[in-house]
Amino acid sequence: DWRGHEPPRPAAVLVPIVARDRLSVLLTQRTDHLPAHAGQIAFPGGKPHPEDPGPVATALRETEEEIGLDPGLVEPLGFLDTYRTGTGFAVTPVVALIRPAFVLTLNSSEVADAFEVPLAFLMDPANHHIHERTLAGRTRQFYAMPYDQRYIWGATAGILKNMHEKLFGSA
């Protein structure tokens, strides 16, 4: 129930699926000094600018700003369900196919690393775990998809879980 709260603020992220022989998802690790979500695994994206005509433009602009991905290598495919975060955002995930001939230039003030995770791993329900943490006296449950030394959780894992449900049903 969002009554009595500020309306959610819009944001858009790119869910970049790299068109390799074995499809992969391109993710970022945020820098440790950011004021929000420091060090977390994330999709590239952010808040819209007034000149953005819609969520696809926001996701492409933010992705180019954060990791230097050439928008000419990106083919948007569609949208997943809007994801509401506990921090007050309504995130529109834009799924896109990425030609693998890219060279990334990371914005070091926002992104510490960019890496790929096999799509098959992320879409395997055996890798969809429910974890919980207590923050400010409140216990929260969330999806987590640990991969190698990476801890994919929260909104990123929730968006990936929604993608799994859209592709394969809610099983």
Side-chain angles (χ1 to χ4, degrees):
D1 185 354
W2 293 87
R3 285 176 290 179
H5 298 280
E6 291 290 318
R9 295 167 289 172
V13 296
L14 192 70
V15 180
I17 300 173
V18 183
R20 300 193 188 282
D21 289 340
R22 292 183 63 210
L23 297 175
S24 62
V25 176
L26 181 63
L27 295 168
T28 67
Q29 181 161 358
R30 295 169 57 83
T31 56
D32 287 333
H33 67 267
L34 290 172
H37 313 292
Q40 290 183 11
I41 306 299
F43 292 112
K47 295 177 267 195
H49 286 182
E51 66 273 12
D52 292 343
V56 171
T58 298
L60 291 175
R61 178 186 49 73
E62 286 282 337
T63 298
E64 188 172 23
E65 287 174 10
E66 290 178 17
I67 62 174
L69 181 63
D70 178 353
L73 299 174
V74 179
E75 182 183 341
L77 301 175
F79 302 98
L80 296 172
D81 294 338
T82 299
Y83 188 91
R84 294 242 175 137
T85 69
T87 53
F89 285 94
V91 180
T92 302
V94 179
V95 179
L97 204 55
I98 311 302
R99 279 184 262 149
F102 58 81
V103 176
L104 300 181
T105 305
L106 305 184
N107 176 340
S108 59
S109 67
E110 293 185 50
V111 178
D113 195 13
F115 60 96
E116 294 178 41
V117 177
L119 180 64
F121 174 89
L122 296 169
M123 293 298 105
D124 183 345
N127 300 319
H128 301 176
H129 306 283
I130 295 178
H131 291 184
E132 65 180 35
R133 287 191 180 156
T134 302
L135 299 170
R138 185 170 157 244
T139 301
R140 293 185 50 222
Q141 289 191 329
F142 52 86
Y143 283 105
M145 301 172 183
Y147 178 76
D148 283 345
Q149 304 301 310
R150 311 282 188 172
Y151 188 63
I152 304 165
W153 70 285
T156 303
I159 289 168
L160 288 165
K161 179 68 174 173
N162 178 244
M163 186 163 79
H164 174 268
E165 291 169 356
K166 293 288 184 201
L167 292 173
F168 303 105
S170 58

PDB file of all heavy atoms in Angstrom, residues 21-59:
ATOM      1  N   ASP A  21      27.373 -17.345 -28.422  1.00  0.00           N
ATOM      2  CA  ASP A  21      26.904 -18.717 -28.631  1.00  0.00           C
ATOM      3  C   ASP A  21      26.125 -19.197 -27.418  1.00  0.00           C
ATOM      4  O   ASP A  21      25.106 -19.856 -27.539  1.00  0.00           O
ATOM      5  CB  ASP A  21      28.071 -19.661 -28.915  1.00  0.00           C
ATOM      6  CG  ASP A  21      28.673 -19.413 -30.300  1.00  0.00           C
ATOM      7  OD1 ASP A  21      27.987 -18.810 -31.144  1.00  0.00           O
ATOM      8  OD2 ASP A  21      29.818 -19.829 -30.532  1.00  0.00           O
ATOM      9  N   ARG A  22      26.631 -18.885 -26.228  1.00  0.00           N
ATOM     10  CA  ARG A  22      25.896 -19.121 -24.988  1.00  0.00           C
ATOM     11  C   ARG A  22      25.496 -17.746 -24.481  1.00  0.00           C
ATOM     12  O   ARG A  22      26.355 -16.971 -24.052  1.00  0.00           O
ATOM     13  CB  ARG A  22      26.772 -19.850 -23.964  1.00  0.00           C
ATOM     14  CG  ARG A  22      27.094 -21.290 -24.390  1.00  0.00           C
ATOM     15  CD  ARG A  22      27.889 -22.023 -23.352  1.00  0.00           C
ATOM     16  NE  ARG A  22      27.109 -22.143 -22.122  1.00  0.00           N
ATOM     17  CZ  ARG A  22      27.650 -22.199 -20.905  1.00  0.00           C
ATOM     18  NH1 ARG A  22      28.944 -22.158 -20.753  1.00  0.00           N
ATOM     19  NH2 ARG A  22      26.883 -22.311 -19.852  1.00  0.00           N
ATOM     20  N   LEU A  23      24.206 -17.436 -24.545  1.00  0.00           N
ATOM     21  CA  LEU A  23      23.729 -16.113 -24.138  1.00  0.00           C
ATOM     22  C   LEU A  23      24.182 -15.782 -22.726  1.00  0.00           C
ATOM     23  O   LEU A  23      24.235 -16.652 -21.850  1.00  0.00           O
ATOM     24  CB  LEU A  23      22.199 -16.061 -24.198  1.00  0.00           C
ATOM     25  CG  LEU A  23      21.548 -16.246 -25.562  1.00  0.00           C
ATOM     26  CD1 LEU A  23      20.036 -16.299 -25.419  1.00  0.00           C
ATOM     27  CD2 LEU A  23      21.960 -15.146 -26.521  1.00  0.00           C
ATOM     28  N   SER A  24      24.498 -14.510 -22.497  1.00  0.00           N
ATOM     29  CA  SER A  24      24.883 -14.066 -21.157  1.00  0.00           C
ATOM     30  C   SER A  24      24.204 -12.736 -20.862  1.00  0.00           C
ATOM     31  O   SER A  24      23.695 -12.069 -21.755  1.00  0.00           O
ATOM     32  CB  SER A  24      26.408 -13.924 -21.049  1.00  0.00           C
ATOM     33  OG  SER A  24      26.869 -12.935 -21.949  1.00  0.00           O
ATOM     34  N   VAL A  25      24.199 -12.373 -19.582  1.00  0.00           N
ATOM     35  CA  VAL A  25      23.628 -11.100 -19.145  1.00  0.00           C
ATOM     36  C   VAL A  25      24.772 -10.235 -18.641  1.00  0.00           C
ATOM     37  O   VAL A  25      25.582 -10.678 -17.824  1.00  0.00           O
ATOM     38  CB  VAL A  25      22.562 -11.315 -18.047  1.00  0.00           C
ATOM     39  CG1 VAL A  25      22.039  -9.977 -17.536  1.00  0.00           C
ATOM     40  CG2 VAL A  25      21.415 -12.173 -18.575  1.00  0.00           C
ATOM     41  N   LEU A  26      24.839  -9.015 -19.138  1.00  0.00           N
ATOM     42  CA  LEU A  26      25.873  -8.060 -18.745  1.00  0.00           C
ATOM     43  C   LEU A  26      25.400  -7.303 -17.506  1.00  0.00           C
ATOM     44  O   LEU A  26      24.332  -6.691 -17.518  1.00  0.00           O
ATOM     45  CB  LEU A  26      26.139  -7.094 -19.902  1.00  0.00           C
ATOM     46  CG  LEU A  26      27.195  -6.025 -19.708  1.00  0.00           C
ATOM     47  CD1 LEU A  26      28.573  -6.643 -19.486  1.00  0.00           C
ATOM     48  CD2 LEU A  26      27.214  -5.103 -20.932  1.00  0.00           C
ATOM     49  N   LEU A  27      26.183  -7.393 -16.443  1.00  0.00           N
ATOM     50  CA  LEU A  27      25.853  -6.722 -15.180  1.00  0.00           C
ATOM     51  C   LEU A  27      26.992  -5.808 -14.772  1.00  0.00           C
ATOM     52  O   LEU A  27      28.118  -5.941 -15.259  1.00  0.00           O
ATOM     53  CB  LEU A  27      25.605  -7.760 -14.083  1.00  0.00           C
ATOM     54  CG  LEU A  27      24.392  -8.671 -14.275  1.00  0.00           C
ATOM     55  CD1 LEU A  27      24.425  -9.829 -13.293  1.00  0.00           C
ATOM     56  CD2 LEU A  27      23.108  -7.875 -14.112  1.00  0.00           C
ATOM     57  N   THR A  28      26.693  -4.885 -13.864  1.00  0.00           N
ATOM     58  CA  THR A  28      27.731  -3.998 -13.340  1.00  0.00           C
ATOM     59  C   THR A  28      27.847  -4.184 -11.833  1.00  0.00           C
ATOM     60  O   THR A  28      26.914  -4.637 -11.177  1.00  0.00           O
ATOM     61  CB  THR A  28      27.408  -2.516 -13.625  1.00  0.00           C
ATOM     62  OG1 THR A  28      26.259  -2.126 -12.874  1.00  0.00           O
ATOM     63  CG2 THR A  28      27.174  -2.270 -15.101  1.00  0.00           C
ATOM     64  N   GLN A  29      29.002  -3.824 -11.321  1.00  0.00           N
ATOM     65  CA  GLN A  29      29.174  -3.713  -9.878  1.00  0.00           C
ATOM     66  C   GLN A  29      29.420  -2.243  -9.585  1.00  0.00           C
ATOM     67  O   GLN A  29      30.325  -1.621 -10.138  1.00  0.00           O
ATOM     68  CB  GLN A  29      30.332  -4.557  -9.364  1.00  0.00           C
ATOM     69  CG  GLN A  29      30.472  -4.434  -7.862  1.00  0.00           C
ATOM     70  CD  GLN A  29      31.262  -5.562  -7.245  1.00  0.00           C
ATOM     71  OE1 GLN A  29      31.688  -6.478  -7.918  1.00  0.00           O
ATOM     72  NE2 GLN A  29      31.456  -5.485  -5.955  1.00  0.00           N
ATOM     73  N   ARG A  30      28.563  -1.703  -8.732  1.00  0.00           N
ATOM     74  CA  ARG A  30      28.650  -0.278  -8.412  1.00  0.00           C
ATOM     75  C   ARG A  30      29.881  -0.018  -7.535  1.00  0.00           C
ATOM     76  O   ARG A  30      30.313  -0.882  -6.794  1.00  0.00           O
ATOM     77  CB  ARG A  30      27.372   0.177  -7.711  1.00  0.00           C
ATOM     78  CG  ARG A  30      26.156   0.077  -8.641  1.00  0.00           C
ATOM     79  CD  ARG A  30      24.838   0.255  -7.937  1.00  0.00           C
ATOM     80  NE  ARG A  30      24.711   1.508  -7.227  1.00  0.00           N
ATOM     81  CZ  ARG A  30      24.359   2.662  -7.781  1.00  0.00           C
ATOM     82  NH1 ARG A  30      24.079   2.725  -9.051  1.00  0.00           N
ATOM     83  NH2 ARG A  30      24.259   3.755  -7.059  1.00  0.00           N
ATOM     84  N   THR A  31      30.401   1.195  -7.611  1.00  0.00           N
ATOM     85  CA  THR A  31      31.561   1.539  -6.798  1.00  0.00           C
ATOM     86  C   THR A  31      31.172   1.575  -5.318  1.00  0.00           C
ATOM     87  O   THR A  31      30.009   1.756  -4.970  1.00  0.00           O
ATOM     88  CB  THR A  31      32.139   2.913  -7.213  1.00  0.00           C
ATOM     89  OG1 THR A  31      31.104   3.881  -7.128  1.00  0.00           O
ATOM     90  CG2 THR A  31      32.711   2.873  -8.615  1.00  0.00           C
ATOM     91  N   ASP A  32      32.164   1.395  -4.466  1.00  0.00           N
ATOM     92  CA  ASP A  32      31.923   1.312  -3.019  1.00  0.00           C
ATOM     93  C   ASP A  32      31.602   2.653  -2.374  1.00  0.00           C
ATOM     94  O   ASP A  32      31.121   2.696  -1.253  1.00  0.00           O
ATOM     95  CB  ASP A  32      33.142   0.702  -2.320  1.00  0.00           C
ATOM     96  CG  ASP A  32      33.257  -0.794  -2.594  1.00  0.00           C
ATOM     97  OD1 ASP A  32      32.215  -1.439  -2.841  1.00  0.00           O
ATOM     98  OD2 ASP A  32      34.385  -1.312  -2.569  1.00  0.00           O
ATOM     99  N   HIS A  33      31.870   3.762  -3.065  1.00  0.00           N
ATOM    100  CA  HIS A  33      31.685   5.084  -2.436  1.00  0.00           C
ATOM    101  C   HIS A  33      30.364   5.769  -2.794  1.00  0.00           C
ATOM    102  O   HIS A  33      30.127   6.898  -2.373  1.00  0.00           O
ATOM    103  CB  HIS A  33      32.865   5.997  -2.797  1.00  0.00           C
ATOM    104  CG  HIS A  33      32.911   6.346  -4.243  1.00  0.00           C
ATOM    105  ND1 HIS A  33      33.645   5.612  -5.150  1.00  0.00           N
ATOM    106  CD2 HIS A  33      32.307   7.333  -4.946  1.00  0.00           C
ATOM    107  CE1 HIS A  33      33.491   6.145  -6.351  1.00  0.00           C
ATOM    108  NE2 HIS A  33      32.682   7.184  -6.258  1.00  0.00           N
ATOM    109  N   LEU A  34      29.502   5.088  -3.554  1.00  0.00           N
ATOM    110  CA  LEU A  34      28.239   5.734  -3.931  1.00  0.00           C
ATOM    111  C   LEU A  34      27.320   5.872  -2.724  1.00  0.00           C
ATOM    112  O   LEU A  34      27.325   5.025  -1.827  1.00  0.00           O
ATOM    113  CB  LEU A  34      27.528   4.915  -5.022  1.00  0.00           C
ATOM    114  CG  LEU A  34      28.204   4.944  -6.389  1.00  0.00           C
ATOM    115  CD1 LEU A  34      27.546   3.955  -7.329  1.00  0.00           C
ATOM    116  CD2 LEU A  34      28.127   6.347  -6.979  1.00  0.00           C
ATOM    117  N   PRO A  35      26.486   6.923  -2.699  1.00  0.00           N
ATOM    118  CA  PRO A  35      25.599   7.131  -1.550  1.00  0.00           C
ATOM    119  C   PRO A  35      24.485   6.090  -1.449  1.00  0.00           C
ATOM    120  O   PRO A  35      23.980   5.826  -0.360  1.00  0.00           O
ATOM    121  CB  PRO A  35      25.034   8.533  -1.766  1.00  0.00           C
ATOM    122  CG  PRO A  35      25.221   8.814  -3.220  1.00  0.00           C
ATOM    123  CD  PRO A  35      26.415   8.020  -3.658  1.00  0.00           C
ATOM    124  N   ALA A  36      24.088   5.489  -2.586  1.00  0.00           N
ATOM    125  CA  ALA A  36      23.017   4.485  -2.555  1.00  0.00           C
ATOM    126  C   ALA A  36      23.487   3.221  -3.267  1.00  0.00           C
ATOM    127  O   ALA A  36      24.104   3.297  -4.325  1.00  0.00           O
ATOM    128  CB  ALA A  36      21.760   5.030  -3.242  1.00  0.00           C
ATOM    129  N   HIS A  37      23.220   2.072  -2.659  1.00  0.00           N
ATOM    130  CA  HIS A  37      23.506   0.757  -3.255  1.00  0.00           C
ATOM    131  C   HIS A  37      24.990   0.579  -3.585  1.00  0.00           C
ATOM    132  O   HIS A  37      25.334  -0.055  -4.580  1.00  0.00           O
ATOM    133  CB  HIS A  37      22.640   0.520  -4.500  1.00  0.00           C
ATOM    134  CG  HIS A  37      21.199   0.853  -4.280  1.00  0.00           C
ATOM    135  ND1 HIS A  37      20.395   0.113  -3.444  1.00  0.00           N
ATOM    136  CD2 HIS A  37      20.421   1.851  -4.758  1.00  0.00           C
ATOM    137  CE1 HIS A  37      19.181   0.637  -3.432  1.00  0.00           C
ATOM    138  NE2 HIS A  37      19.164   1.698  -4.210  1.00  0.00           N
ATOM    139  N   ALA A  38      25.867   1.120  -2.759  1.00  0.00           N
ATOM    140  CA  ALA A  38      27.310   1.023  -2.984  1.00  0.00           C
ATOM    141  C   ALA A  38      27.742  -0.438  -3.048  1.00  0.00           C
ATOM    142  O   ALA A  38      27.313  -1.259  -2.249  1.00  0.00           O
ATOM    143  CB  ALA A  38      28.067   1.748  -1.872  1.00  0.00           C
ATOM    144  N   GLY A  39      28.577  -0.745  -4.033  1.00  0.00           N
ATOM    145  CA  GLY A  39      29.156  -2.073  -4.161  1.00  0.00           C
ATOM    146  C   GLY A  39      28.208  -3.144  -4.677  1.00  0.00           C
ATOM    147  O   GLY A  39      28.615  -4.280  -4.871  1.00  0.00           O
ATOM    148  N   GLN A  40      26.948  -2.811  -4.904  1.00  0.00           N
ATOM    149  CA  GLN A  40      25.975  -3.826  -5.305  1.00  0.00           C
ATOM    150  C   GLN A  40      26.064  -4.145  -6.798  1.00  0.00           C
ATOM    151  O   GLN A  40      26.518  -3.341  -7.603  1.00  0.00           O
ATOM    152  CB  GLN A  40      24.553  -3.376  -4.968  1.00  0.00           C
ATOM    153  CG  GLN A  40      24.282  -3.353  -3.478  1.00  0.00           C
ATOM    154  CD  GLN A  40      22.835  -2.971  -3.168  1.00  0.00           C
ATOM    155  OE1 GLN A  40      21.983  -2.911  -4.036  1.00  0.00           O
ATOM    156  NE2 GLN A  40      22.575  -2.718  -1.897  1.00  0.00           N
ATOM    157  N   ILE A  41      25.601  -5.355  -7.126  1.00  0.00           N
ATOM    158  CA  ILE A  41      25.477  -5.774  -8.517  1.00  0.00           C
ATOM    159  C   ILE A  41      24.193  -5.153  -9.059  1.00  0.00           C
ATOM    160  O   ILE A  41      23.151  -5.202  -8.407  1.00  0.00           O
ATOM    161  CB  ILE A  41      25.398  -7.316  -8.619  1.00  0.00           C
ATOM    162  CG1 ILE A  41      26.581  -7.989  -7.910  1.00  0.00           C
ATOM    163  CG2 ILE A  41      25.275  -7.749 -10.077  1.00  0.00           C
ATOM    164  CD1 ILE A  41      27.936  -7.659  -8.451  1.00  0.00           C
ATOM    165  N   ALA A  42      24.274  -4.586 -10.259  1.00  0.00           N
ATOM    166  CA  ALA A  42      23.122  -3.860 -10.800  1.00  0.00           C
ATOM    167  C   ALA A  42      23.080  -3.980 -12.319  1.00  0.00           C
ATOM    168  O   ALA A  42      24.080  -4.318 -12.964  1.00  0.00           O
ATOM    169  CB  ALA A  42      23.209  -2.387 -10.409  1.00  0.00           C
ATOM    170  N   PHE A  43      21.917  -3.670 -12.864  1.00  0.00           N
ATOM    171  CA  PHE A  43      21.798  -3.425 -14.287  1.00  0.00           C
ATOM    172  C   PHE A  43      22.170  -1.969 -14.515  1.00  0.00           C
ATOM    173  O   PHE A  43      21.931  -1.116 -13.651  1.00  0.00           O
ATOM    174  CB  PHE A  43      20.352  -3.623 -14.759  1.00  0.00           C
ATOM    175  CG  PHE A  43      19.875  -5.039 -14.699  1.00  0.00           C
ATOM    176  CD1 PHE A  43      18.890  -5.406 -13.803  1.00  0.00           C
ATOM    177  CD2 PHE A  43      20.402  -6.005 -15.544  1.00  0.00           C
ATOM    178  CE1 PHE A  43      18.436  -6.708 -13.745  1.00  0.00           C
ATOM    179  CE2 PHE A  43      19.958  -7.311 -15.494  1.00  0.00           C
ATOM    180  CZ  PHE A  43      18.972  -7.669 -14.597  1.00  0.00           C
ATOM    181  N   PRO A  44      22.730  -1.639 -15.686  1.00  0.00           N
ATOM    182  CA  PRO A  44      22.947  -0.217 -15.960  1.00  0.00           C
ATOM    183  C   PRO A  44      21.600   0.492 -16.117  1.00  0.00           C
ATOM    184  O   PRO A  44      20.653  -0.077 -16.649  1.00  0.00           O
ATOM    185  CB  PRO A  44      23.738  -0.224 -17.276  1.00  0.00           C
ATOM    186  CG  PRO A  44      23.513  -1.571 -17.879  1.00  0.00           C
ATOM    187  CD  PRO A  44      23.176  -2.509 -16.769  1.00  0.00           C
ATOM    188  N   GLY A  45      21.519   1.691 -15.603  1.00  0.00           N
ATOM    189  CA  GLY A  45      20.280   2.454 -15.732  1.00  0.00           C
ATOM    190  C   GLY A  45      20.191   3.531 -14.683  1.00  0.00           C
ATOM    191  O   GLY A  45      21.122   3.749 -13.913  1.00  0.00           O
ATOM    192  N   GLY A  46      19.051   4.209 -14.644  1.00  0.00           N
ATOM    193  CA  GLY A  46      18.878   5.277 -13.667  1.00  0.00           C
ATOM    194  C   GLY A  46      17.621   6.075 -13.928  1.00  0.00           C
ATOM    195  O   GLY A  46      16.693   5.620 -14.589  1.00  0.00           O
ATOM    196  N   LYS A  47      17.640   7.291 -13.410  1.00  0.00           N
ATOM    197  CA  LYS A  47      16.473   8.167 -13.482  1.00  0.00           C
ATOM    198  C   LYS A  47      16.383   8.838 -14.851  1.00  0.00           C
ATOM    199  O   LYS A  47      17.411   9.151 -15.457  1.00  0.00           O
ATOM    200  CB  LYS A  47      16.559   9.239 -12.394  1.00  0.00           C
ATOM    201  CG  LYS A  47      16.494   8.678 -10.976  1.00  0.00           C
ATOM    202  CD  LYS A  47      16.652   9.763  -9.948  1.00  0.00           C
ATOM    203  CE  LYS A  47      18.113   9.852  -9.592  1.00  0.00           C
ATOM    204  NZ  LYS A  47      18.438  10.588  -8.407  1.00  0.00           N
ATOM    205  N   PRO A  48      15.141   9.094 -15.314  1.00  0.00           N
ATOM    206  CA  PRO A  48      14.987   9.761 -16.611  1.00  0.00           C
ATOM    207  C   PRO A  48      15.411  11.229 -16.546  1.00  0.00           C
ATOM    208  O   PRO A  48      15.314  11.859 -15.498  1.00  0.00           O
ATOM    209  CB  PRO A  48      13.492   9.639 -16.902  1.00  0.00           C
ATOM    210  CG  PRO A  48      12.841   9.425 -15.576  1.00  0.00           C
ATOM    211  CD  PRO A  48      13.859   8.758 -14.693  1.00  0.00           C
ATOM    212  N   HIS A  49      15.879  11.719 -17.657  1.00  0.00           N
ATOM    213  CA  HIS A  49      16.120  13.139 -17.843  1.00  0.00           C
ATOM    214  C   HIS A  49      14.915  13.709 -18.594  1.00  0.00           C
ATOM    215  O   HIS A  49      14.239  12.974 -19.316  1.00  0.00           O
ATOM    216  CB  HIS A  49      17.385  13.379 -18.664  1.00  0.00           C
ATOM    217  CG  HIS A  49      18.648  13.120 -17.893  1.00  0.00           C
ATOM    218  ND1 HIS A  49      19.889  13.310 -18.431  1.00  0.00           N
ATOM    219  CD2 HIS A  49      18.863  12.660 -16.624  1.00  0.00           C
ATOM    220  CE1 HIS A  49      20.818  13.000 -17.531  1.00  0.00           C
ATOM    221  NE2 HIS A  49      20.225  12.596 -16.441  1.00  0.00           N
ATOM    222  N   PRO A  50      14.655  15.006 -18.462  1.00  0.00           N
ATOM    223  CA  PRO A  50      13.487  15.589 -19.139  1.00  0.00           C
ATOM    224  C   PRO A  50      13.480  15.350 -20.648  1.00  0.00           C
ATOM    225  O   PRO A  50      12.429  15.222 -21.253  1.00  0.00           O
ATOM    226  CB  PRO A  50      13.592  17.078 -18.826  1.00  0.00           C
ATOM    227  CG  PRO A  50      14.430  17.158 -17.594  1.00  0.00           C
ATOM    228  CD  PRO A  50      15.367  15.982 -17.645  1.00  0.00           C
ATOM    229  N   GLU A  51      14.655  15.250 -21.261  1.00  0.00           N
ATOM    230  CA  GLU A  51      14.710  15.070 -22.725  1.00  0.00           C
ATOM    231  C   GLU A  51      14.507  13.620 -23.161  1.00  0.00           C
ATOM    232  O   GLU A  51      14.381  13.342 -24.349  1.00  0.00           O
ATOM    233  CB  GLU A  51      16.033  15.617 -23.289  1.00  0.00           C
ATOM    234  CG  GLU A  51      17.271  14.859 -22.855  1.00  0.00           C
ATOM    235  CD  GLU A  51      17.882  15.328 -21.534  1.00  0.00           C
ATOM    236  OE1 GLU A  51      17.226  16.102 -20.799  1.00  0.00           O
ATOM    237  OE2 GLU A  51      19.013  14.921 -21.236  1.00  0.00           O
ATOM    238  N   ASP A  52      14.487  12.679 -22.231  1.00  0.00           N
ATOM    239  CA  ASP A  52      14.269  11.273 -22.578  1.00  0.00           C
ATOM    240  C   ASP A  52      12.812  11.064 -22.977  1.00  0.00           C
ATOM    241  O   ASP A  52      11.905  11.323 -22.183  1.00  0.00           O
ATOM    242  CB  ASP A  52      14.581  10.345 -21.394  1.00  0.00           C
ATOM    243  CG  ASP A  52      16.058  10.307 -21.022  1.00  0.00           C
ATOM    244  OD1 ASP A  52      16.896  10.732 -21.844  1.00  0.00           O
ATOM    245  OD2 ASP A  52      16.360   9.829 -19.907  1.00  0.00           O
ATOM    246  N   PRO A  53      12.545  10.554 -24.189  1.00  0.00           N
ATOM    247  CA  PRO A  53      11.151  10.347 -24.600  1.00  0.00           C
ATOM    248  C   PRO A  53      10.479   9.146 -23.942  1.00  0.00           C
ATOM    249  O   PRO A  53       9.267   8.999 -24.046  1.00  0.00           O
ATOM    250  CB  PRO A  53      11.245  10.171 -26.123  1.00  0.00           C
ATOM    251  CG  PRO A  53      12.638   9.747 -26.382  1.00  0.00           C
ATOM    252  CD  PRO A  53      13.480  10.331 -25.280  1.00  0.00           C
ATOM    253  N   GLY A  54      11.245   8.311 -23.257  1.00  0.00           N
ATOM    254  CA  GLY A  54      10.639   7.151 -22.606  1.00  0.00           C
ATOM    255  C   GLY A  54      11.701   6.273 -21.957  1.00  0.00           C
ATOM    256  O   GLY A  54      12.897   6.604 -21.973  1.00  0.00           O
ATOM    257  N   PRO A  55      11.273   5.140 -21.377  1.00  0.00           N
ATOM    258  CA  PRO A  55      12.206   4.286 -20.635  1.00  0.00           C
ATOM    259  C   PRO A  55      13.321   3.683 -21.487  1.00  0.00           C
ATOM    260  O   PRO A  55      14.429   3.486 -20.988  1.00  0.00           O
ATOM    261  CB  PRO A  55      11.333   3.193 -20.025  1.00  0.00           C
ATOM    262  CG  PRO A  55       9.951   3.408 -20.497  1.00  0.00           C
ATOM    263  CD  PRO A  55       9.893   4.680 -21.264  1.00  0.00           C
ATOM    264  N   VAL A  56      13.051   3.395 -22.762  1.00  0.00           N
ATOM    265  CA  VAL A  56      14.118   2.852 -23.612  1.00  0.00           C
ATOM    266  C   VAL A  56      15.235   3.886 -23.745  1.00  0.00           C
ATOM    267  O   VAL A  56      16.423   3.571 -23.590  1.00  0.00           O
ATOM    268  CB  VAL A  56      13.577   2.417 -24.998  1.00  0.00           C
ATOM    269  CG1 VAL A  56      14.727   2.056 -25.941  1.00  0.00           C
ATOM    270  CG2 VAL A  56      12.613   1.245 -24.854  1.00  0.00           C
ATOM    271  N   ALA A  57      14.871   5.132 -24.012  1.00  0.00           N
ATOM    272  CA  ALA A  57      15.871   6.199 -24.142  1.00  0.00           C
ATOM    273  C   ALA A  57      16.642   6.387 -22.840  1.00  0.00           C
ATOM    274  O   ALA A  57      17.863   6.567 -22.855  1.00  0.00           O
ATOM    275  CB  ALA A  57      15.195   7.505 -24.567  1.00  0.00           C
ATOM    276  N   THR A  58      15.944   6.326 -21.702  1.00  0.00           N
ATOM    277  CA  THR A  58      16.614   6.468 -20.406  1.00  0.00           C
ATOM    278  C   THR A  58      17.610   5.338 -20.206  1.00  0.00           C
ATOM    279  O   THR A  58      18.770   5.571 -19.834  1.00  0.00           O
ATOM    280  CB  THR A  58      15.579   6.473 -19.258  1.00  0.00           C
ATOM    281  OG1 THR A  58      14.716   7.595 -19.419  1.00  0.00           O
ATOM    282  CG2 THR A  58      16.255   6.537 -17.898  1.00  0.00           C
ATOM    283  N   ALA A  59      17.168   4.109 -20.451  1.00  0.00           N
ATOM    284  CA  ALA A  59      18.050   2.949 -20.248  1.00  0.00           C
ATOM    285  C   ALA A  59      19.271   3.016 -21.158  1.00  0.00           C
ATOM    286  O   ALA A  59      20.400   2.759 -20.718  1.00  0.00           O
ATOM    287  CB  ALA A  59      17.266   1.659 -20.470  1.00  0.00           C
TER     288      ALA A  59
END
